[in-house]
Amino acid sequence: MKISEVIYNCLNTIVTWILVILLGIAGLYAGYALWDNNRIYQQAENVQDSLLDLKPDTDNEANFARLREINPDVCAWITLDGTEIDYPVVMGEDLRTYLNTDVYGNYALAGSIFADNRCARDFSDPYTLIYGHHMTRHRMFGDLELYEDSRFFRDHRTGTLILPGESHELTILACIKRSASDPMIFDPKQTSENITALLESVESDSVQLDGNTAVRAEELPESRILALSTCSGSYEDARTIVLCLVEE
């Protein structure tokens, strides 16, 4: 056998083994990524399941007391009918506090459902903004995207906001897409000062809309609006927001 053939065969063997090793590493990484992703979702499911036993009954002060023993930052409980959104709401010192921290105070990529700290903790502001990660398998605020479908929006328009000592029905007004830099949505202090402008903006640009929104903009200037926001893949920095009327 010629020396050139020996060298060729050696190089060919080396390349083959390199490819085998690289494929093995890729397989291990893919397996780890799948395991890690499942772990994140399982963690989110476990947290929700454990907390559902403490869900307040309309104005159940006792359960709120138990929730606040777990975490004094719990300020509300939100439920959207027809979805898996059924969570306590926390409010931290800033918008990063619960981005990757669960209600128990543990590190979790799924984070928590949390209210904007620039809003009143008792939800007394005309406009309150709540955030949650977009996750599949109906976790966190992943189900907000369901409201982009016209049939689902038409058939699922209710929810409940439970606060210590009181309970409010929610009526879903609209589903919209906005940039994360849109001050009309993401500057709650500014928006609280002009709810009518918010509703008029929604009327002119929305994915799904309650046909009475224009009327509500005129008749309900003193009403409280709840905005639920999550990430969207529609475009860079896109957010899906569901707007709810807090019924008095």
Side-chain angles (χ1 to χ4, degrees):
M1 182 179 293
K2 296 180 179 180
I3 294 177
S4 60
E5 292 179 350
V6 173
I7 294 174
Y8 174 80
N9 289 335
C10 289
L11 290 175
N12 189 54
T13 300
I14 291 171
V15 170
T16 299
W17 276 106
I18 290 174
L19 289 175
V20 168
I21 292 170
L22 290 176
L23 288 172
I25 292 173
L28 288 173
Y29 178 79
Y32 171 78
L34 181 61
W35 171 83
D36 190 52
N37 186 63
N38 286 331
R39 181 181 61 83
I40 292 170
Y41 277 88
Q42 188 61 54
Q43 184 181 32
E45 291 172 9
N46 291 342
V47 169
Q48 184 182 24
D49 290 344
S50 66
L51 290 170
L52 280 173
D53 291 336
L54 299 177
K55 179 179 178 179
D57 301 321
T58 61
D59 61 352
N60 189 328
E61 289 277 9
N63 274 19
F64 264 109
R66 293 171 64 192
L67 284 168
R68 284 175 167 165
E69 287 177 1
I70 295 172
N71 188 336
D73 286 342
V74 173
C75 55
W77 191 290
I78 187 166
T79 304
L80 294 186
D81 300 330
T83 77
E84 294 298 317
I85 295 175
D86 198 11
Y87 291 99
V89 181
V90 292
M91 180 182 288
E93 294 182 358
D94 55 45
L95 299 181
R96 297 184 299 273
T97 303
Y98 287 101
L99 192 63
N100 295 125
T101 302
D102 65 24
V103 176
Y104 292 100
N106 300 318
Y107 175 76
L109 288 175
S112 299
I113 303 302
F114 62 97
D116 195 303
N117 62 293
R118 294 169 291 180
C119 301
R121 184 174 291 271
D122 62 359
F123 288 67
S124 59
D125 284 344
Y127 177 81
T128 300
L129 179 58
I130 298 178
Y131 305 89
H133 284 303
H134 182 280
M135 299 179 70
T136 57
R137 306 185 196 175
H138 307 284
R139 297 299 101 189
M140 307 310 286
F141 268 2
D143 277 357
L144 289 185
E145 69 178 6
L146 296 175
Y147 293 95
E148 297 176 25
D149 179 76
S150 58
R151 177 175 295 180
F152 186 89
F153 183 85
R154 181 191 65 211
D155 295 339
H156 302 87
R157 301 287 303 284
T158 59
T160 307
L161 176 69
I162 304 175
L163 303 172
E166 57 186 275
S167 176
H168 300 271
E169 293 182 0
L170 299 176
T171 299
I172 295 172
L173 298 177
C175 176
I176 61 177
K177 293 275 188 173
R178 292 289 190 274
S179 164
S181 60
D182 185 349
M184 182 64 73
I185 300 298
F186 297 103
D187 186 347
K189 289 298 184 183
Q190 173 182 312
T191 306
S192 282
E193 295 174 357
N194 200 340
I195 291 296
T196 299
L198 168 67
L199 295 178
E200 289 174 347
S201 169
V202 169
E203 182 190 7
S204 64
D205 181 16
S206 61
V207 179
Q208 300 296 337
L209 181 68
D210 176 356
N212 295 321
T213 297
V215 175
R216 291 178 185 274
E218 296 179 0
E219 295 182 350
L220 304 173
E222 302 301 324
S223 293
R224 287 187 284 173
I225 301 295
L226 196 61
L228 313 178
S229 173
T230 195
C231 293
S232 168
S234 298
Y235 53 86
E236 187 176 358
D237 87 342
R239 299 293 184 268
T240 297
I241 301 105
V242 171
L243 294 179
C244 311
L245 175 69
V246 180
E247 302 285 1
E248 298 299 337

